[in-house]
């Protein structure tokens, strides 16, 4: 991840482009589906304070360990200071959120693949530990209930919209896209 965090590379990251908003100092993001925390690390390196939510206790323990190790690495320590982990159901946390984040990031388990190529090993681990999102509509509705300025949803490049809801715009890469909902408070 360190090469991706260098300023010249970081500003080319699709997630950072999707999440950034002009004129916002010290932006706050909620990563409601943290997984192994790579997306959160990118946002934290880009200057966001990131609140990570992970419901699976095993994945959360791995993430907690990774964050502790990152805080000891000079190249990652500054970003790691801006990351705060909560273990539990993000749907409930989003509905009870009083902070009104600038951005809510949703990256639920991608729908099943029909391709024969295997996914990367770290994603295989996540697929074995985490069940796919069982109620996409509930997750998306909870994100809207947190009253952010923007919701960013990570999806497969050719995958369906989350809960069938068309975003305001999308940023597309080779394998993934970020569907963005721009909201007003």
């Amino acid at each position: 991840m360190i090469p991706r965090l260098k300023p010249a590379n970081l500003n080319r990251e699709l997630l950072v482009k999707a999440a950034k908003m002009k004129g916002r100092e010290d932006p706050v993001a909620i990563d409601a589906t943290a997984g192994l925390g790579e997306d959160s690390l990118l946002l934290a390196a880009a200057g966001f304070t990131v609140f990570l939510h992970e419901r699976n206790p095993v994945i959360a323990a791995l993430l907690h360990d990774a964050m502790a190790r990152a805080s000891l690495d000079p190249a990652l320590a500054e970003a790691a200071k801006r990351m705060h982990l909560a273990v539990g159901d993000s749907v409930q946390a989003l509905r009870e959120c009083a902070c009104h984040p600038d951005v809510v990031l949703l990256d639920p388990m991608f729908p099943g693949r029909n391709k024969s190529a295997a996914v990367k090993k770290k994603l295989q681990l996540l697929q074995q530990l985490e069940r796919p999102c069982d109620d996409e509509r509930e997750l998306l509705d909870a994100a809207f209930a947190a009253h952010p300025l923007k919701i960013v949803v990570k999806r497969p490049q050719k995958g369906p919209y989350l809960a069938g809801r068309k975003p305001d715009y999308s940023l597309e890469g080779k394998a993934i896209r970020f569907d963005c909902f721009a909201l007003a408070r």
Side-chain angles (χ1 to χ4, degrees):
M1 289 286 299
I2 291 175
R4 292 176 69 188
L5 301 180
K6 292 183 179 173
N9 297 336
L10 190 61
N11 290 327
R12 288 194 303 253
E13 289 284 340
L14 276 182
L15 171 59
V16 174
K17 288 179 181 181
K20 281 232 171 165
M21 292 171 283
K22 293 179 182 172
R24 301 297 296 179
E25 286 190 36
D26 304 319
V28 174
I30 294 177
D31 184 347
T33 50
L36 296 176
E38 288 184 6
D39 290 335
S40 293
L41 182 60
L42 288 171
L43 291 176
F48 284 80
T49 297
V50 185
F51 294 93
L52 299 83
H53 293 272
E54 178 51 53
R55 68 181 176 186
N56 183 289
V58 175
I59 295 172
L62 291 170
L63 181 53
H64 181 267
D65 177 66
M67 289 170 58
R69 287 183 288 115
S71 69
L72 302 174
D73 184 329
L76 302 172
E78 193 62 36
K81 279 190 226 176
R82 289 193 287 273
M83 297 171 66
H84 310 280
L85 176 62
V87 181
D89 181 21
S90 63
V91 170
Q92 180 180 350
L94 285 167
R95 286 190 176 134
E96 297 171 358
C97 181
C99 73
H100 300 296
D102 296 299
V103 176
V104 172
L105 172 63
L106 302 177
D107 181 10
M109 191 70 67
F110 284 177
R113 294 167 37 120
N114 295 327
K115 295 182 178 182
S116 59
V119 296
K120 294 178 182 178
K121 288 189 188 278
K122 66 183 173 187
L123 296 178
Q124 288 177 18
L125 172 67
L126 283 177
Q127 288 174 341
Q128 289 178 4
L129 293 172
E130 188 76 71
R131 66 184 188 272
C133 182
D134 49 1
D135 193 346
E136 292 180 351
R137 184 165 311 284
E138 183 179 29
L139 180 61
L140 189 57
D141 288 348
F144 277 98
H147 302 290
L149 293 173
K150 188 183 286 187
I151 297 171
V152 177
V153 182
K154 187 176 183 180
R155 301 300 287 167
Q157 207 269 340
K158 295 182 181 179
Y161 296 130
L162 185 67
R165 187 162 179 178
K166 186 177 179 182
D168 296 316
Y169 64 95
S170 297
L171 297 178
E172 294 188 14
K174 292 177 185 174
I176 60 168
R177 73 169 191 269
F178 290 96
D179 295 336
C180 302
F181 298 89
L183 310 169
R185 280 195 203 145

